[in-house]
Tab-separated table of all heavy atoms in Angstrom:
chain	number	residue	atom	x	y	z
A	89	THR	N	8.246	-7.203	-6.870
A	89	THR	CA	9.201	-7.366	-5.771
A	89	THR	C	8.615	-6.839	-4.477
A	89	THR	O	7.795	-5.915	-4.465
A	89	THR	CB	10.524	-6.609	-6.042
A	89	THR	OG1	10.253	-5.207	-6.116
A	89	THR	CG2	11.184	-7.072	-7.329
A	90	ILE	N	9.068	-7.440	-3.376
A	90	ILE	CA	8.730	-6.990	-2.025
A	90	ILE	C	10.023	-7.017	-1.218
A	90	ILE	O	10.667	-8.063	-1.117
A	90	ILE	CB	7.696	-7.919	-1.338
A	90	ILE	CG1	6.431	-8.046	-2.168
A	90	ILE	CG2	7.389	-7.430	0.074
A	90	ILE	CD1	5.481	-9.151	-1.676
A	91	ASP	N	10.401	-5.879	-0.676
A	91	ASP	CA	11.567	-5.798	0.204
A	91	ASP	C	11.101	-5.277	1.553
A	91	ASP	O	10.404	-4.259	1.618
A	91	ASP	CB	12.623	-4.847	-0.374
A	91	ASP	CG	13.188	-5.381	-1.682
A	91	ASP	OD1	13.828	-6.441	-1.644
A	91	ASP	OD2	12.985	-4.731	-2.713
A	92	SER	N	11.480	-5.972	2.622
A	92	SER	CA	11.062	-5.586	3.971
A	92	SER	C	12.276	-5.516	4.886
A	92	SER	O	13.199	-6.314	4.758
A	92	SER	CB	10.069	-6.602	4.542
A	92	SER	OG	8.934	-6.725	3.717
A	93	GLN	N	12.221	-4.552	5.821
A	93	GLN	CA	13.282	-4.394	6.813
A	93	GLN	C	12.668	-4.013	8.146
A	93	GLN	O	11.702	-3.241	8.177
A	93	GLN	CB	14.257	-3.279	6.425
A	93	GLN	CG	15.035	-3.503	5.176
A	93	GLN	CD	15.949	-2.315	4.889
A	93	GLN	OE1	15.881	-1.279	5.537
A	93	GLN	NE2	16.803	-2.479	3.896
A	94	PRO	N	13.247	-4.509	9.253
A	94	PRO	CA	12.829	-3.989	10.556
A	94	PRO	C	13.200	-2.513	10.630
A	94	PRO	O	14.258	-2.116	10.145
A	94	PRO	CB	13.638	-4.808	11.560
A	94	PRO	CG	14.374	-5.841	10.790
A	94	PRO	CD	14.285	-5.515	9.345
A	95	SER	N	12.341	-1.681	11.218
A	95	SER	CA	12.615	-0.245	11.243
A	95	SER	C	12.968	0.290	12.626
A	95	SER	O	13.430	1.406	12.748
A	95	SER	CB	11.423	0.540	10.689
A	95	SER	OG	10.315	0.414	11.545
A	96	SER	N	12.705	-0.489	13.658
A	96	SER	CA	13.011	-0.005	15.008
A	96	SER	C	12.941	-1.172	15.989
A	96	SER	O	12.309	-2.190	15.703
A	96	SER	CB	12.020	1.081	15.423
A	96	SER	OG	10.733	0.528	15.588
A	97	PRO	N	13.553	-1.014	17.162
A	97	PRO	CA	13.470	-2.076	18.185
A	97	PRO	C	12.040	-2.329	18.655
A	97	PRO	O	11.734	-3.389	19.161
A	97	PRO	CB	14.320	-1.529	19.335
A	97	PRO	CG	15.207	-0.509	18.723
A	97	PRO	CD	14.444	0.066	17.558
A	98	SER	N	11.140	-1.350	18.448
A	98	SER	CA	9.752	-1.524	18.895
A	98	SER	C	8.927	-2.374	17.935
A	98	SER	O	7.744	-2.594	18.164
A	98	SER	CB	9.089	-0.157	19.091
A	98	SER	OG	9.047	0.541	17.863
A	99	GLY	N	9.533	-2.838	16.825
A	99	GLY	CA	8.841	-3.782	15.954
A	99	GLY	C	8.290	-3.231	14.665
A	99	GLY	O	7.582	-3.935	13.953
A	100	GLY	N	8.579	-1.981	14.336
A	100	GLY	CA	8.111	-1.426	13.066
A	100	GLY	C	8.774	-2.115	11.881
A	100	GLY	O	9.858	-2.698	12.011
A	101	ILE	N	8.122	-2.047	10.728
A	101	ILE	CA	8.638	-2.688	9.509
A	101	ILE	C	8.438	-1.740	8.340
A	101	ILE	O	7.354	-1.158	8.179
A	101	ILE	CB	7.911	-4.020	9.233
A	101	ILE	CG1	8.113	-4.995	10.397
A	101	ILE	CG2	8.382	-4.643	7.916
A	101	ILE	CD1	7.273	-6.256	10.303
A	102	VAL	N	9.488	-1.582	7.529
A	102	VAL	CA	9.398	-0.820	6.291
A	102	VAL	C	9.259	-1.829	5.159
A	102	VAL	O	10.021	-2.805	5.089
A	102	VAL	CB	10.648	0.055	6.074
A	102	VAL	CG1	10.612	0.715	4.705
A	102	VAL	CG2	10.756	1.099	7.163
A	103	VAL	N	8.272	-1.608	4.278
A	103	VAL	CA	8.010	-2.516	3.159
A	103	VAL	C	8.025	-1.696	1.872
A	103	VAL	O	7.308	-0.700	1.766
A	103	VAL	CB	6.636	-3.217	3.310
A	103	VAL	CG1	6.407	-4.207	2.171
A	103	VAL	CG2	6.523	-3.913	4.658
A	104	PHE	N	8.834	-2.132	0.906
A	104	PHE	CA	8.905	-1.466	-0.397
A	104	PHE	C	8.416	-2.444	-1.461
A	104	PHE	O	8.884	-3.583	-1.520
A	104	PHE	CB	10.336	-1.023	-0.709
A	104	PHE	CG	10.446	-0.294	-2.012
A	104	PHE	CD1	10.059	1.031	-2.122
A	104	PHE	CD2	10.901	-0.940	-3.146
A	104	PHE	CE1	10.148	1.702	-3.329
A	104	PHE	CE2	10.991	-0.277	-4.360
A	104	PHE	CZ	10.611	1.042	-4.456
A	105	VAL	N	7.473	-1.993	-2.287
A	105	VAL	CA	6.820	-2.851	-3.278
A	105	VAL	C	6.995	-2.240	-4.666
A	105	VAL	O	6.858	-1.031	-4.832
A	105	VAL	CB	5.299	-2.976	-2.980
A	105	VAL	CG1	4.614	-3.889	-3.983
A	105	VAL	CG2	5.064	-3.449	-1.557
A	106	SER	N	7.283	-3.077	-5.638
A	106	SER	CA	7.224	-2.633	-7.032
A	106	SER	C	6.350	-3.617	-7.791
A	106	SER	O	6.258	-4.792	-7.440
A	106	SER	CB	8.619	-2.547	-7.664
A	106	SER	OG	9.187	-3.832	-7.781
A	107	GLY	N	5.688	-3.104	-8.818
A	107	GLY	CA	4.805	-3.965	-9.587
A	107	GLY	C	4.119	-3.194	-10.686
A	107	GLY	O	4.560	-2.113	-11.084
A	108	SER	N	3.021	-3.762	-11.154
A	108	SER	CA	2.243	-3.092	-12.195
A	108	SER	C	0.761	-3.182	-11.856
A	108	SER	O	0.326	-4.040	-11.091
A	108	SER	CB	2.527	-3.694	-13.574
A	108	SER	OG	2.199	-5.060	-13.590
A	109	LEU	N	0.032	-2.269	-12.457
A	109	LEU	CA	-1.392	-2.107	-12.209
A	109	LEU	C	-2.121	-2.280	-13.532
A	109	LEU	O	-1.807	-1.595	-14.501
A	109	LEU	CB	-1.609	-0.698	-11.643
A	109	LEU	CG	-2.982	-0.231	-11.246
A	109	LEU	CD1	-3.561	-1.110	-10.158
A	109	LEU	CD2	-2.905	1.205	-10.760
A	110	GLN	N	-3.047	-3.228	-13.571
A	110	GLN	CA	-3.838	-3.487	-14.779
A	110	GLN	C	-5.224	-2.891	-14.582
A	110	GLN	O	-5.940	-3.255	-13.643
A	110	GLN	CB	-3.957	-4.994	-15.013
A	110	GLN	CG	-4.846	-5.378	-16.168
A	110	GLN	CD	-4.170	-5.167	-17.522
A	110	GLN	OE1	-3.082	-5.664	-17.736
A	110	GLN	NE2	-4.810	-4.458	-18.411
A	111	LEU	N	-5.587	-1.948	-15.449
A	111	LEU	CA	-6.923	-1.345	-15.408
A	111	LEU	C	-7.785	-1.964	-16.499
A	111	LEU	O	-7.281	-2.274	-17.583
A	111	LEU	CB	-6.832	0.166	-15.606
A	111	LEU	CG	-6.038	0.931	-14.544
A	111	LEU	CD1	-5.962	2.400	-14.911
A	111	LEU	CD2	-6.650	0.749	-13.174
A	112	PRO	N	-9.078	-2.148	-16.246
A	112	PRO	CA	-9.957	-2.757	-17.252
A	112	PRO	C	-9.949	-1.956	-18.554
A	112	PRO	O	-9.995	-0.722	-18.537
A	112	PRO	CB	-11.338	-2.716	-16.613
A	112	PRO	CG	-11.113	-2.497	-15.160
A	112	PRO	CD	-9.800	-1.794	-15.028
A	113	GLY	N	-9.852	-2.665	-19.667
A	113	GLY	CA	-9.902	-2.033	-20.973
A	113	GLY	C	-8.604	-1.382	-21.410
A	113	GLY	O	-8.532	-0.839	-22.509
A	114	GLU	N	-7.579	-1.408	-20.565
A	114	GLU	CA	-6.291	-0.805	-20.909
A	114	GLU	C	-5.327	-1.893	-21.376
A	114	GLU	O	-5.170	-2.919	-20.719
A	114	GLU	CB	-5.685	-0.070	-19.712
A	114	GLU	CG	-6.490	1.123	-19.258
A	114	GLU	CD	-6.492	2.257	-20.266
A	114	GLU	OE1	-5.480	2.426	-20.971
A	114	GLU	OE2	-7.506	2.969	-20.341
A	115	GLU	N	-4.683	-1.651	-22.492
A	115	GLU	CA	-3.752	-2.629	-23.051
A	115	GLU	C	-2.452	-2.705	-22.248
A	115	GLU	O	-1.897	-3.775	-22.034
A	115	GLU	CB	-3.435	-2.250	-24.505
A	115	GLU	CG	-2.496	-3.216	-25.186
A	115	GLU	CD	-2.218	-2.815	-26.629
A	115	GLU	OE1	-2.872	-1.873	-27.144
A	115	GLU	OE2	-1.339	-3.440	-27.223
A	116	TYR	N	-1.979	-1.553	-21.774
A	116	TYR	CA	-0.690	-1.509	-21.089
A	116	TYR	C	-0.869	-1.429	-19.587
A	116	TYR	O	-1.793	-0.783	-19.085
A	116	TYR	CB	0.115	-0.293	-21.579
A	116	TYR	CG	0.424	-0.376	-23.051
A	116	TYR	CD1	-0.295	0.389	-23.967
A	116	TYR	CD2	1.400	-1.234	-23.529
A	116	TYR	CE1	-0.036	0.312	-25.321
A	116	TYR	CE2	1.669	-1.326	-24.888
A	116	TYR	CZ	0.952	-0.554	-25.774
A	116	TYR	OH	1.204	-0.655	-27.118
A	117	HIS	N	0.042	-2.084	-18.884
A	117	HIS	CA	0.057	-2.017	-17.424
A	117	HIS	C	0.764	-0.739	-16.999
A	117	HIS	O	1.670	-0.269	-17.682
A	117	HIS	CB	0.806	-3.212	-16.842
A	117	HIS	CG	0.131	-4.518	-17.082
A	117	HIS	ND1	0.397	-5.624	-16.323
A	117	HIS	CD2	-0.793	-4.917	-17.984
A	117	HIS	CE1	-0.328	-6.649	-16.750
A	117	HIS	NE2	-1.058	-6.235	-17.759
A	118	LEU	N	0.370	-0.196	-15.850
A	118	LEU	CA	1.034	0.959	-15.260
A	118	LEU	C	2.011	0.460	-14.199
A	118	LEU	O	1.617	-0.259	-13.279
A	118	LEU	CB	0.010	1.898	-14.616
A	118	LEU	CG	-1.068	2.468	-15.534
A	118	LEU	CD1	-2.138	3.185	-14.718
A	118	LEU	CD2	-0.440	3.409	-16.550
A	119	ARG	N	3.290	0.811	-14.332
A	119	ARG	CA	4.293	0.416	-13.339
A	119	ARG	C	4.174	1.342	-12.124
A	119	ARG	O	3.924	2.531	-12.266
A	119	ARG	CB	5.696	0.517	-13.933
A	119	ARG	CG	5.922	-0.317	-15.180
A	119	ARG	CD	6.140	-1.793	-14.947
A	119	ARG	NE	7.210	-2.029	-14.021
A	119	ARG	CZ	7.274	-3.109	-13.233
A	119	ARG	NH1	6.351	-4.029	-13.279
A	119	ARG	NH2	8.267	-3.260	-12.384
A	120	PHE	N	4.358	0.763	-10.924
A	120	PHE	CA	4.279	1.567	-9.713
A	120	PHE	C	5.297	1.097	-8.677
A	120	PHE	O	5.799	-0.023	-8.731
A	120	PHE	CB	2.863	1.519	-9.110
A	120	PHE	CG	2.553	0.220	-8.403
A	120	PHE	CD1	2.788	0.088	-7.038
A	120	PHE	CD2	2.041	-0.857	-9.098
A	120	PHE	CE1	2.515	-1.110	-6.389
A	120	PHE	CE2	1.752	-2.061	-8.460
A	120	PHE	CZ	2.000	-2.179	-7.102
A	121	SER	N	5.562	1.994	-7.730
A	121	SER	CA	6.344	1.682	-6.532
A	121	SER	C	5.557	2.200	-5.336
A	121	SER	O	4.905	3.252	-5.421
A	121	SER	CB	7.709	2.366	-6.563
A	121	SER	OG	8.473	1.904	-7.643
A	122	GLN	N	5.619	1.464	-4.245
A	122	GLN	CA	4.896	1.881	-3.041
A	122	GLN	C	5.694	1.458	-1.820
A	122	GLN	O	6.268	0.369	-1.773
A	122	GLN	CB	3.494	1.263	-3.017
A	122	GLN	CG	2.588	1.854	-1.970
A	122	GLN	CD	1.118	1.586	-2.252
A	122	GLN	OE1	0.754	0.785	-3.105
A	122	GLN	NE2	0.246	2.274	-1.524
A	123	MET	N	5.743	2.355	-0.831
A	123	MET	CA	6.447	2.083	0.418
A	123	MET	C	5.456	2.203	1.576
A	123	MET	O	4.643	3.127	1.613
A	123	MET	CB	7.585	3.103	0.607
A	123	MET	CG	8.498	2.844	1.803
A	123	MET	SD	7.878	3.286	3.449
A	123	MET	CE	7.501	5.010	3.302
A	124	PHE	N	5.525	1.244	2.488
A	124	PHE	CA	4.699	1.259	3.695
A	124	PHE	C	5.600	1.211	4.917
A	124	PHE	O	6.592	0.479	4.928
A	124	PHE	CB	3.790	0.019	3.755
A	124	PHE	CG	2.850	-0.130	2.602
A	124	PHE	CD1	3.175	-0.951	1.529
A	124	PHE	CD2	1.621	0.527	2.589
A	124	PHE	CE1	2.300	-1.112	0.465
A	124	PHE	CE2	0.751	0.362	1.530
A	124	PHE	CZ	1.089	-0.460	0.474
A	125	HIS	N	5.249	1.983	5.938
A	125	HIS	CA	5.891	1.855	7.240
A	125	HIS	C	4.822	1.308	8.178
A	125	HIS	O	3.826	1.994	8.467
A	125	HIS	CB	6.405	3.209	7.728
A	125	HIS	CG	7.172	3.126	9.001
A	125	HIS	ND1	7.339	4.205	9.821
A	125	HIS	CD2	7.826	2.106	9.605
A	125	HIS	CE1	8.058	3.847	10.877
A	125	HIS	NE2	8.358	2.580	10.760
A	126	LEU	N	5.008	0.068	8.602
A	126	LEU	CA	4.040	-0.620	9.458
A	126	LEU	C	4.465	-0.496	10.912
A	126	LEU	O	5.635	-0.683	11.249
A	126	LEU	CB	3.955	-2.102	9.078
A	126	LEU	CG	3.681	-2.412	7.608
A	126	LEU	CD1	3.669	-3.924	7.392
A	126	LEU	CD2	2.372	-1.788	7.159
A	127	ILE	N	3.495	-0.196	11.769
A	127	ILE	CA	3.735	-0.022	13.203
A	127	ILE	C	2.897	-1.066	13.952
A	127	ILE	O	1.703	-1.222	13.668
A	127	ILE	CB	3.327	1.395	13.664
A	127	ILE	CG1	4.114	2.452	12.898
A	127	ILE	CG2	3.494	1.557	15.168
A	127	ILE	CD1	5.597	2.460	13.142
A	128	PRO	N	3.516	-1.779	14.915
A	128	PRO	CA	2.738	-2.768	15.672
A	128	PRO	C	1.731	-2.102	16.609
A	128	PRO	O	1.965	-0.994	17.099
A	128	PRO	CB	3.811	-3.532	16.470
A	128	PRO	CG	4.978	-2.612	16.538
A	128	PRO	CD	4.917	-1.726	15.337
A	129	THR	N	0.622	-2.783	16.820
A	129	THR	CA	-0.401	-2.315	17.751
A	129	THR	C	-0.319	-3.153	19.029
A	129	THR	O	0.234	-4.262	19.020
A	129	THR	CB	-1.816	-2.477	17.154
A	129	THR	OG1	-2.095	-3.873	17.009
A	129	THR	CG2	-1.932	-1.768	15.812
A	130	PRO	N	-0.884	-2.664	20.133
A	130	PRO	CA	-0.903	-3.471	21.365
A	130	PRO	C	-1.636	-4.806	21.181
A	130	PRO	O	-1.366	-5.762	21.901
A	130	PRO	CB	-1.641	-2.574	22.373
A	130	PRO	CG	-1.466	-1.184	21.841
A	130	PRO	CD	-1.422	-1.328	20.342
A	131	GLU	N	-2.549	-4.867	20.204
A	131	GLU	CA	-3.315	-6.099	19.965
A	131	GLU	C	-2.523	-7.143	19.175
A	131	GLU	O	-3.020	-8.239	18.935
A	131	GLU	CB	-4.611	-5.791	19.210
A	131	GLU	CG	-5.569	-4.869	19.938
A	131	GLU	CD	-5.192	-3.398	19.854
A	131	GLU	OE1	-4.595	-2.981	18.850
A	131	GLU	OE2	-5.486	-2.667	20.817
A	132	GLY	N	-1.311	-6.790	18.740
A	132	GLY	CA	-0.486	-7.748	18.015
A	132	GLY	C	-0.621	-7.690	16.500
A	132	GLY	O	-0.121	-8.568	15.801
A	133	THR	N	-1.312	-6.679	15.992
A	133	THR	CA	-1.429	-6.504	14.543
A	133	THR	C	-0.551	-5.313	14.139
A	133	THR	O	0.233	-4.809	14.949
A	133	THR	CB	-2.891	-6.261	14.131
A	133	THR	OG1	-3.348	-5.053	14.750
A	133	THR	CG2	-3.787	-7.423	14.538
A	134	PHE	N	-0.693	-4.859	12.911
A	134	PHE	CA	0.065	-3.712	12.424
A	134	PHE	C	-0.893	-2.721	11.777
A	134	PHE	O	-1.932	-3.110	11.265
A	134	PHE	CB	1.095	-4.139	11.370
A	134	PHE	CG	2.257	-4.896	11.941
A	134	PHE	CD1	2.181	-6.267	12.142
A	134	PHE	CD2	3.440	-4.237	12.281
A	134	PHE	CE1	3.254	-6.966	12.676
A	134	PHE	CE2	4.514	-4.925	12.802
A	134	PHE	CZ	4.425	-6.292	13.005
A	135	PHE	N	-0.517	-1.435	11.789
A	135	PHE	CA	-1.233	-0.446	11.000
A	135	PHE	C	-0.225	0.302	10.143
A	135	PHE	O	0.981	0.278	10.406
A	135	PHE	CB	-2.053	0.509	11.875
A	135	PHE	CG	-1.256	1.557	12.615
A	135	PHE	CD1	-1.033	2.816	12.050
A	135	PHE	CD2	-0.734	1.284	13.869
A	135	PHE	CE1	-0.303	3.775	12.730
A	135	PHE	CE2	-0.009	2.250	14.554
A	135	PHE	CZ	0.208	3.493	13.978
A	136	VAL	N	-0.732	0.953	9.094
A	136	VAL	CA	0.116	1.713	8.182
A	136	VAL	C	0.286	3.120	8.734
A	136	VAL	O	-0.675	3.889	8.779
A	136	VAL	CB	-0.501	1.768	6.763
A	136	VAL	CG1	0.387	2.597	5.837
A	136	VAL	CG2	-0.715	0.376	6.209
A	137	GLN	N	1.499	3.456	9.161
A	137	GLN	CA	1.787	4.813	9.612
A	137	GLN	C	2.100	5.710	8.418
A	137	GLN	O	1.612	6.822	8.332
A	137	GLN	CB	2.974	4.815	10.595
A	137	GLN	CG	3.420	6.198	11.025
A	137	GLN	CD	2.339	6.964	11.768
A	137	GLN	OE1	1.651	6.427	12.628
A	137	GLN	NE2	2.149	8.231	11.418
A	138	ASN	N	2.937	5.192	7.500
A	138	ASN	CA	3.330	5.964	6.317
A	138	ASN	C	3.116	5.120	5.075
A	138	ASN	O	3.401	3.925	5.074
A	138	ASN	CB	4.812	6.363	6.387
A	138	ASN	CG	5.134	7.110	7.647
A	138	ASN	OD1	5.473	6.509	8.660
A	138	ASN	ND2	5.022	8.418	7.604
A	139	ASP	N	2.635	5.761	4.012
A	139	ASP	CA	2.359	5.102	2.739
A	139	ASP	C	2.738	6.094	1.642
A	139	ASP	O	2.232	7.211	1.623
A	139	ASP	CB	0.866	4.748	2.687
A	139	ASP	CG	0.429	4.052	1.418
A	139	ASP	OD1	1.218	3.938	0.453
A	139	ASP	OD2	-0.748	3.636	1.380
Side-chain angles (χ1 to χ4, degrees):
T89 63
I90 303 169
D91 295 296
S92 302
Q93 296 179 352
S95 67
S96 68
S98 62
I101 300 172
V102 173
V103 183
F104 182 78
V105 181
S106 67
S108 60
L109 182 60
Q110 175 77 53
L111 298 177
E114 295 292 328
E115 181 179 352
Y116 298 103
H117 294 200
L118 301 171
R119 302 282 306 152
F120 75 92
S121 297
Q122 192 161 12
M123 186 283 303
F124 301 97
H125 185 202
L126 307 178
I127 301 295
T129 66
E131 299 79 31
T133 62
F134 288 85
F135 75 92
V136 179
Q137 175 62 44
N138 305 89
D139 180 352

